[in-house]
Every structure is written in structure tokens, then in C-alpha cells.
Amino acid sequence: SNIAHELRTPLTAMQGEIEGMLDGLISIDRERLVSLHEETNRLKHIIEGIEELSRAQASALELHRKTVSLRPFLLGIQGRFEKMFSDKGVALECECGEAVTMDADPDKLSQIVINLLSNALKATQRGGAVRIKAGMTEVDSFIEITDTGAGISSEDLPFVFERFYRASEGGLGLGLTIARELVEAHGGRIQVKSEYGRGSAFVITIPKFTIYS
Ligand code: ADP
């Protein structure tokens, strides 16, 4: 029902506008057409988000897990984000030992990290910092993404992983839902700690392969 709601809202706005044009109450000019075009783009964007979420939900069936060496993997992602961060004046740091590995599907893992990094960048003001830190224990590996950004209020915090839940303007409210689906497909978990006005920390933990002998 929330998918229907997400689609119905922009559709209803478009329908009203087109009806107004047909009835001669709204003039058919370029500005109106540009606004209608933006609405169709938004609908397309929502549908793409829903498709991405369905793929994430199905991904437990097609995971290609391998032992990923996290240092080069995370430095690669850091490199891809470097320009976006420096353009906004936000520092991006990465702390990961040479020997740290994670047993994960690399494509899915990069989607998870990218979703978390994009959120962190969006929430952080110029002069702030985002830090990626990775490590492992005997049984699992973790990646933590911490930011000095806007933080999440305690009213919003319990719901941020729910689909279409937005605590701020813009976005579809699907990035964290997709990240959680992908982490859970690996048998892992995702946790968040946040203080409103001070920043947030998201941690994903994924168990290591169990070796039976
Ligand atoms: P979206 O794709 O719209 O960003 P998400 O599911 O990724 O949606 O996030 C849900 C909500 O959680 C966002 O609307 C945002 O307000 C909040 N949020 C997520 N990550 C952070 C963060 N690092 N700092 C502050 N708020 C965040």
C-alpha cells in the first residue's frame, strides 16, 4: 500500500494539471509542460527505486560471495567519491588494516557502502567529515561509516530502515531499506547510532564463511 501511495501522489498532481488544461482553466505553456515533465521523471525515479529494492530482496538467491580484501576495496570506493566530497568541502577518511577481509558479494557490498556514503555526504555540511572504518573479529567483519552531519532525531531513528521513510527532504527513502536487505541476504546486520545535530554512525556486520572440516 505504501508503493501505491508513493505512485499515486505525483500521478494525482499530474492528472489534476492535465484536466485543468483540457478544461481551459490552465494555460498550456512551456512552463506547465516542464513541470509535468519533472513529475514524469519523478515517477520514473520511484519505479526505478522499487525495481532496485525488488532486486535487493531477491539477491539472497544469487549472492556471489568471496573473500574481499577490504583495504583496496574501500580505497577504490573512496577514490570514486573523492571529487564529490572535496567539491562539498567534506573530508573523507578511510581506516582499514591490510589484513582485513569480508566474505561478501563485492557488487552488493559496494552498493551497501555507496548508499551509506551518499547519505553521510548528503547529511554533512562543509567543514565536516565522514570516516570509513573496517575491521574483523574471529567470527565476523564490520564496516562502520561515521559522519559529523545533521544526525537523526530519536523520533525518526526507529524508522529509517523502513521503505519510503524519509527524515529529510528529497530522496525516495529506499537507500537504507536496500542496504538492509543486502546486508541481511549475507546473514549480517546493520545498526545505527545517531545524535541529532551531531552526526551518525552506521555499522554493517557480516559473518565469515564457516569452514566445516
Ligand atoms: P534516501 O534514499 O531518501 O536518502 P534512506 O532510506 O537512505 O533514504 O534514508 C532514510 C532517511 O534517513 C533519510 O531521509 C535521511 O533523513 C535519514 N538518514 C539516512 N542516513 C543519514 C545520515 N547519515 N545522517 C542523517 N540522516 C540520515
Side-chain angles (χ1 to χ4, degrees), residues 115-116 119-124 145 147 149-152 156 159-178 194 199-202:
N115 285 4
L116 296 178
N119 282 348
L121 176 60
K122 241 190 281 176
T124 307
I145 294 179
D147 67 67
I152 303 166
D156 287 318
F159 307 108
V160 287
F161 294 105
E162 289 188 8
R163 60 181 179 181
F164 298 117
Y165 192 85
R166 280 157 280 203
S168 51
E169 293 287 297
L172 291 179
L174 290 179
L176 288 178
T177 315
I178 290 168
S194 187
S200 311
F202 285 83

Side-chain angles (χ1 to χ4, degrees), residues 8-127:
R8 188 174 291 119
T9 308
L11 261 180
T12 305
M14 286 168 68
Q15 195 179 29
E17 205 155 336
I18 292 171
E19 279 170 7
M21 288 178 178
L22 289 173
D23 294 345
L25 300 170
I26 297 176
S27 60
I28 305 174
D29 55 30
R30 193 179 159 75
E31 199 184 330
R32 301 279 175 188
L33 289 176
V34 167
S35 133
L36 276 175
H37 189 238
E38 275 166 13
E39 288 294 335
T40 60
N41 278 342
R42 173 147 178 84
L43 273 173
K44 212 167 136 198
H45 195 51
I46 295 171
I47 290 165
E48 283 161 4
I50 294 167
E51 282 171 341
E52 201 182 326
L53 176 60
S54 331
R55 274 199 299 277
Q57 284 169 333
S59 70
L61 308 171
E62 36 146 351
L63 276 190
H64 303 292
R65 284 181 82 165
K66 55 184 211 170
T67 301
V68 179
S69 179
L70 280 186
R71 192 176 154 80
F73 179 85
L74 292 172
L75 290 177
I77 294 179
Q78 182 185 19
R80 279 156 58 193
F81 270 83
E82 217 149 45
K83 182 157 171 13
M84 262 191 277
F85 273 73
S86 63
D87 283 352
K88 196 177 173 186
V90 174
L92 177 58
E93 297 152 18
C94 183
E95 184 188 324
C96 177
E98 292 279 355
V100 181
T101 60
M102 184 175 265
D103 295 331
D105 180 320
D107 293 337
K108 309 287 190 284
L109 184 58
S110 63
Q111 197 179 351
I112 297 164
V113 174
I114 285 170
N115 285 4
L116 296 178
L117 269 186
S118 312
N119 282 348
L121 176 60
K122 241 190 281 176
T124 307
Q125 303 275 18
R126 178 169 291 275

Side-chain angles (χ1 to χ4, degrees), residues 140-162:
D140 52 32
S141 315
F142 70 87
I143 301 174
E144 181 181 43
I145 294 179
T146 315
D147 67 67
T148 59
I152 303 166
S153 72
S154 52
E155 290 86 56
D156 287 318
L157 202 57
F159 307 108
V160 287
F161 294 105
E162 289 188 8

